[in-house]
Amino acid sequence: AQSVTQPDIHITVSEGASLELRCNYSYGATPYLFWYVQSPGQGLQLLLKYFSGDTLVQGIKGFEAEFKRSQSSFNLRKPSVHWSDAAEYFCAVMVSNFGNEKLTFGTGTRLTIIP
Amino acid sequence: DAGITQSPRHKVTETGTPVTLRCHQTENHRYMYWYRQDPGHGLRLIHYSYGVKDTDKGEVSDGYSVSRSKTEDFLLTLESATSSQTSVYFCAISDRANYGYTFGSGTRLTVV
């Protein structure tokens, strides 16, 4: 069965510093991969997704992620974080089951920004 | 989120009582999902629907049932609520063409 691992439960970064959130997946075929962000008390918002092609994908809010098949990873990056980036971030993998696609989520990484 | 609403937003109920949560969409999307979110577990799929009257179980379906009699509504029912079902419940809809999920704002359910 597919799975997603986010090894960092909580990360603290200074405002203006760079950010990398880690995500590893386990899936037999080429997966569809996603990053979502959740602000406190809110639902989840899609940051970016990877289906195929260029392994570096750009998303909203200045985020990007790189798919590395050899490492089964899909890490999220941002060159310079802003205080408004404080949130919880979820990596997810989509599995297609006879056309009934389902998202499997990691356990999330909570990002704290310090001045 | 625009196009998807969950009701109620908050609910406190007693152990053993039935509870129904509603997800309503105006996007005419085929796929609808119910997830629960718990600390340390991320989001886990409870049930999903791939069309009217077509539903299937997710990874944590025990104690939950769903119904979808119209494209726009997907109901999640806890037949007899237990304290372990205290959680935040999210509904999501999907346009398969984009494979992107749109999430509702969630329902915070407390079972006392």
Side-chain angles (χ1 to χ4, degrees):
Chain A
Q2 72 286 351
S3 66
V4 178
T5 301
Q6 294 180 248
D8 302 306
I9 296 173
H10 184 204
I11 284 183
T12 299
V13 177
S14 297
E15 190 169 15
S18 63
L19 171 71
E20 183 169 27
L21 302 182
R22 295 184 291 164
C23 173
N24 293 96
Y25 67 89
S26 172
Y27 183 51
T30 299
Y32 296 166
L33 294 161
F34 303 78
W35 275 99
Y36 284 83
V37 61
Q38 182 183 32
S39 298
Q42 302 297 313
L44 279 74
Q45 180 184 21
L46 179 66
L47 281 176
L48 49 78
K49 58 189 176 186
Y50 171 78
F51 289 169
S52 64
D54 192 348
T55 56
L56 184 64
V57 294
Q58 303 296 321
I60 62 172
K61 305 185 180 188
F63 285 92
E64 66 178 26
E66 186 172 13
F67 171 62
K68 293 186 177 180
R69 184 188 305 275
S70 62
Q71 299 177 20
S72 297
S73 69
F74 188 56
N75 294 348
L76 182 71
R77 301 194 294 249
K78 188 170 185 179
S80 177
V81 298
H82 185 261
W83 64 266
S84 61
D85 293 324
E88 189 147 23
Y89 293 79
F90 293 93
C91 182
V93 60
M94 176 168 281
V95 175
S96 181
N97 180 22
F98 301 103
N100 299 328
E101 290 80 12
K102 297 178 288 183
L103 273 180
T104 296
F105 287 86
T107 52
T109 297
R110 184 160 60 92
L111 176 65
T112 298
I113 308 295
I114 56 176
Chain B
D1 250 282
I4 178 172
T5 55
Q6 292 183 232
S7 58
R9 290 296 311 276
H10 302 272
K11 186 172 182 64
V12 179
T13 192
E14 293 186 349
T15 299
T17 60
V19 177
T20 295
L21 308 183
R22 181 180 184 237
C23 178
H24 178 78
Q25 62 147 328
T26 58
E27 304 296 322
N28 201 37
H29 286 344
R30 177 182 176 190
Y31 295 89
M32 299 185 76
Y33 307 82
W34 276 108
Y35 284 85
R36 60 177 288 174
Q37 183 178 25
D38 305 288
H41 292 277
L43 280 84
R44 293 178 291 174
L45 182 64
I46 305 171
H47 282 280
Y48 64 102
S49 169
Y50 44 94
V52 173
K53 299 191 188 303
D54 290 325
T55 64
D56 204 350
K57 297 179 179 180
E59 61 178 308
V60 290
S61 59
D62 287 348
Y64 301 95
S65 62
V66 290
S67 66
R68 190 169 178 200
S69 58
K70 298 184 292 184
T71 298
E72 57 267 35
D73 289 324
F74 191 33
L75 304 180
L76 177 70
T77 297
L78 292 66
E79 300 291 347
S80 178
T82 68
S83 59
S84 65
Q85 294 175 311
T86 292
S87 186
V88 181
Y89 292 86
F90 286 98
C91 177
I93 60 176
S94 173
D95 173 0
R96 188 184 176 191
N98 292 319
Y99 293 104
Y101 281 30
T102 300
F103 282 83
S105 298
T107 294
R108 181 174 295 277
L109 177 67
T110 302
V111 183
V112 298

